[in-house]
Amino acid sequence: MSSFQPFQKSFTSDSGKNVKKIDLRLVVSDVTGRIQITDVMLQGGSIATVWTGHASEIQWSFDG
């Protein structure tokens, strides 16, 4: 039996500025048991989905 529970959090940025860096910190406190974080996905847009693109569709930082 899986006890997997997806969690999503949305935030907005100032649309007049470019995002250069995102620091992500996961903090867990006052918990008993085991926590296993397997995947963290950052996604643009206003609606969170479970869809992920194929690796060939991702523009890597060294692509220029």
Side-chain angles (χ1 to χ4, degrees):
M1 181 172 128
S2 174
S3 61
F4 173 77
Q5 296 178 354
F7 173 79
Q8 68 185 34
K9 176 68 178 165
S10 299
F11 64 93
T12 57
S13 62
D14 184 340
S15 61
K17 297 180 180 179
N18 290 330
V19 176
K20 292 183 180 180
K21 178 181 173 183
I22 296 175
D23 291 322
L24 177 66
R25 190 172 126 194
L26 303 173
V27 178
V28 179
S29 61
D30 196 24
V31 175
T32 302
R34 177 180 171 175
I35 294 176
Q36 183 174 0
I37 298 170
T38 58
D39 298 290
V40 175
M41 179 170 62
L42 301 176
Q43 188 173 45
S46 60
I47 300 172
T49 68
V50 295
W51 179 85
T52 56
H54 187 271
S56 66
E57 299 174 317
I58 300 171
Q59 182 177 0
W60 302 97
S61 60
F62 54 80
D63 285 346

